[in-house]
Amino acid sequence: MFYHVKELQYNAKPSQPDPVYAKKLQEILGGQYGEMSVMMQYLFQGWNCRAEGKYRDMILDIATEEIAHVEMIATMIAQLLDGAPAHDQEQGAKDPAVEAVLGGMNPQQAIVSGLGAQPNDSIGYPWTARYTIASGNLLADFRANLNAESQGRLQVCRLYEMTTDPGVRDMLSFLIARDTMHQNQWMAAIEELEETQGAVVPSTFNQKYEKQEVSYSFMNFSEGEDSSTGKWANGPTLDGQANFEYVQNPKAMGQKPDLQSGPRYIHGTSP
């Protein structure tokens, strides 16, 4: 069960309208790494969780917080759009859509959403569920979550640098701080799972069925050998099962492809 508290989790009050910046802010609302993506990703991970109860509880705690972040950003966007389109454009631009384009704002925010936020990214591409990951394997999912929070925090930091509005920056500073916590949260959960389940996903697959001769070989498939100095090419592997091997000149291990001619009804080209 969910219930709504009328007050926002944190303030979302710009100092003045800025419809152009509202368009930019759409990225952290409906973009690939925006709040809508992590909200839906975490909700489905939590609802589908079959692991120990503390994981389901933790996932749904953060999922519900992300709903609050969606509300904050949507509220900020709506206020940034107050009074838009700006009325200092060319006198001939009487059409609000034309005026919006001339002013650099998203015309759909004037035409479609009535000066409100949309479930789209900063160029108007609709949010899609394909942005989300909920596989049922918590270690795989938590690593995806860490990536999402890393990319999301990066984008919020960039948006912080793109405005001088103290109200907008105040809200963004809160989101940046929460993303700091969420990255640490997922790193802690990942470490905990790795201690009990191992580092490689999935841990339940019997390794005797994989081609173990190449399980820990780093293969040099590009010019130069700078990669040979990395931790991934020498020393013990991170799963503690072996030592990395650096393969300087990897050789082809498969056959040369030789496909048969297709049947006549395919109308392909025979050799």
Side-chain angles (χ1 to χ4, degrees), residues 110-121:
I111 302 168
V112 178
S113 59
L115 303 182
Q118 296 182 303
N120 302 334
D121 66 14

Side-chain angles (χ1 to χ4, degrees), residues 138-188:
L138 290 188
L139 183 52
D141 286 352
F142 289 178
R143 287 173 174 169
N145 297 351
L146 177 57
N147 175 63
E149 294 287 350
S150 301
Q151 295 289 344
R153 188 174 188 274
L154 174 61
Q155 292 182 358
V156 177
C157 288
R158 287 172 172 168
L159 281 163
Y160 183 94
E161 303 290 355
M162 293 179 187
T163 182
T164 57
D165 187 302
V168 177
R169 280 192 159 188
D170 184 46
M171 184 196 74
L172 295 181
S173 72
F174 177 83
L175 295 176
I176 291 168
R178 294 309 294 156
D179 285 349
T180 295
M181 170 56 199
H182 295 160
Q183 287 187 46
N184 278 277
Q185 170 186 325
W186 295 125
M187 286 189 284

Side-chain angles (χ1 to χ4, degrees), residues 81 84-85 95-101 105-116 118:
L81 290 167
D95 186 317
V98 176
E99 193 172 13
V101 173
M105 69 173 283
N106 179 359
Q108 283 201 338
Q109 290 179 323
I111 302 168
V112 178
S113 59
L115 303 182
Q118 296 182 303

Side-chain angles (χ1 to χ4, degrees), residues 162-221:
M162 293 179 187
T163 182
T164 57
D165 187 302
V168 177
R169 280 192 159 188
D170 184 46
M171 184 196 74
L172 295 181
S173 72
F174 177 83
L175 295 176
I176 291 168
R178 294 309 294 156
D179 285 349
T180 295
M181 170 56 199
H182 295 160
Q183 287 187 46
N184 278 277
Q185 170 186 325
W186 295 125
M187 286 189 284
I190 288 166
E191 183 177 271
E192 186 173 284
L193 287 173
E194 287 178 345
E195 288 173 354
T196 58
Q197 300 188 24
V200 176
V201 177
S203 60
T204 50
F205 185 81
N206 192 331
Q207 277 197 280
K208 74 178 184 179
Y209 296 119
E210 67 180 70
K211 195 73 174 178
Q212 294 183 65
E213 297 93 319
V214 296
S215 292
Y216 301 102
S217 299
F218 180 86
M219 300 183 183
N220 178 38
F221 276 118

Side-chain angles (χ1 to χ4, degrees), residues 23-24 26-27 31 106 108 118 120-126:
K23 179 179 179 180
K24 297 175 184 178
Q26 283 282 161
E27 191 62 37
N106 179 359
Q108 283 201 338
Q118 296 182 303
N120 302 334
D121 66 14
S122 57
I123 60 171
Y125 188 85

